[in-house]
Amino acid sequence: MHIEDLAALIQDDVFVPVRIDAGGGVDILLKIEGLNPAGSIKFKTALAMIADMERSGRLKPGATVVESSSGNLGLALSIVCRALGYGFVCVSDPNISPATRDMIEATGGRMEPVTETDENGGYLGTRLRRIAALLDRHAGWVWTNQYGNPAAKWAHHRWTGPAVRRRVDRPDFLFVGVGTAGTAMGCAEYFRINAPDTRVIGVDSVGSVTFGQTPGRRYLPGLGASQQPPLFEATMLDEQVIVPETETVTACWRFRRRHGFLIGASTGTVLAGIARHAAAGAIPPGATVVALSPDLGDRYAATLYDAAWIGSRYADLPPDIAEALAA
């Protein structure tokens, strides 16, 4: 199998209309990325990075790829590497969902877990130090480096941005979650060139340092970082919205009640960010709003959608969510 064969499997044209009950109500188009192979937008990131490393000669036949991931990119790389004949090792932490961890192993990847937090209370620094140690120990291993690899941006300049414009030529707003920053920066670069009037809004979690905020404890994988990703450029975003994890949980559970299917935590954070932006009066009536949904929620049944797991970590949830948890 070749990169071109895998790229043909990309599902880039699924959009779902969703209404956000804030600021008088906002109608959005939610771009569903969870139908891609590996179940997330990270399939495109994995393809672009591996293709770039093959073209440059950095990735030789039979090599082993290593990457730090809280889940989705790890699974995407595990599938892509298996299809192309490479080994794969995923350096992860306790926040990875058990289902994603099991899928990485089922597709042939090897887990390399870390358990100690870094100086900012997260795990990224610890994961990166583990990768450095593994590369020193194994001469044939190669790090894709999703945090600083320009190909991680190019994936979304090449695929995601154009897919949005095929559906909505010039949206007024595009809301994108910021984790490793590749998706957000790639989309922002694309829209700066091709539809500069579109305002690209980055959304992140409270406790993440990417937007210059104080580090704090985070439980949900996907968005956020305990170190600012090298790819991140604040000037590429028109605005930034920061969301507490309680609002992410609320958005996910309300979405389930209204629409009947599960979304991942990153999607919930983006929807909560839109609600915050709308409540502040920053989205005019009738604006065309598109948001990226990086993955669906099927792999979070034992965490984000488990009442005991949520109840042991979050207090002060809205009454309707507290009632749903108790049901």
Side-chain angles (χ1 to χ4, degrees):
M1 187 170 285
H2 302 281
I3 287 287
E4 293 79 10
D5 301 316
L6 294 170
L9 301 177
I10 292 173
Q11 302 297 310
D12 240 348
D13 59 354
V14 181
F15 292 79
V16 174
V18 173
R19 185 166 181 80
I20 303 294
D21 295 326
V26 179
D27 293 313
I28 72 171
L29 275 176
L30 189 63
K31 187 177 187 304
I32 303 297
E33 298 281 354
L35 300 180
N36 276 300
S40 79
I41 197 169
K42 293 291 190 177
F43 181 68
K44 291 180 277 189
T45 306
L47 284 180
M49 292 194 300
I50 294 297
D52 179 67
M53 294 178 79
E54 287 184 335
R55 283 192 299 268
S56 69
R58 288 174 290 163
L59 194 56
K60 308 293 185 183
T64 292
V65 171
V66 61
E67 184 57 279
S68 156
S69 174
S70 60
N72 281 335
L73 182 66
L75 179 55
L77 280 170
S78 183
I79 291 172
V80 171
C81 286
R82 170 63 62 161
L84 298 176
Y86 304 114
F88 176 65
V89 175
C90 182
V91 178
S92 196
D93 59 60
N95 284 340
I96 189 171
S97 79
T100 303
R101 179 195 62 218
D102 292 345
M103 286 290 291
I104 291 172
E105 293 180 331
T107 52
R110 193 186 102 194
M111 299 302 302
E112 182 78 17
V114 303
T115 56
E116 294 182 2
T117 56
D118 60 24
E119 55 275 11
N120 286 328
Y123 293 99
L124 180 55
T126 311
R127 294 192 330 226
L128 295 180
R129 287 190 285 272
R130 179 66 62 84
I131 285 179
L134 290 170
L135 294 175
D136 284 342
R137 195 181 311 152
H138 302 281
W141 289 20
V142 182
W143 179 30
T144 40
N145 186 14
Q146 64 166 322
Y147 311 100
N149 190 333
K153 294 191 297 183
W154 177 244
H156 306 290
H157 193 120
R158 176 184 178 184
W159 286 308
T160 310
V164 170
R165 289 197 63 223
R166 285 195 297 272
R167 182 62 179 261
V168 181
D169 184 43
R170 296 183 182 275
D172 297 306
F173 294 89
L174 175 67
F175 283 81
V176 188
V178 181
T180 58
T183 302
M185 295 298 100
C187 287
E189 287 181 356
Y190 175 83
F191 277 91
R192 281 280 181 93
I193 296 169
N194 296 284
D197 291 337
T198 297
R199 296 186 63 78
V200 180
I201 314 297
V203 185
D204 199 6
S205 302
V206 169
S208 169
V209 305
T210 301
F211 293 169
Q213 303 301 306
T214 302
R217 184 74 168 91
R218 291 175 290 112
Y219 296 102
L220 299 172
L223 300 186
S226 57
Q227 296 182 15
Q228 190 175 78
L231 288 178
F232 179 70
E233 296 180 51
T235 56
M236 294 299 297
L237 298 174
D238 293 291
E239 293 179 71
Q240 303 168 359
V241 182
I242 302 172
V243 174
E245 285 195 344
T246 52
E247 293 182 17
T248 295
V249 172
T250 298
C252 289
W253 280 65
R254 286 178 177 168
F255 190 94
R256 184 186 73 164
R257 183 176 63 210
R258 174 173 289 187
H259 298 283
F261 65 93
L262 306 182
I263 54 174
S266 299
T267 304
T269 304
V270 169
L271 294 180
I274 296 173
R276 279 188 160 240
H277 213 55
I283 301 178
T288 303
V289 180
V290 178
L292 300 188
S293 169
D295 66 355
L296 299 177
D298 50 314
R299 298 195 196 109
Y300 307 102
T303 53
L304 177 59
Y305 294 100
D306 181 80
W309 192 92
I310 293 295
S312 67
R313 288 163 176 79
Y314 302 103
D316 302 322
L317 291 165
D320 62 313
I321 305 303
E323 182 179 343
L325 290 172

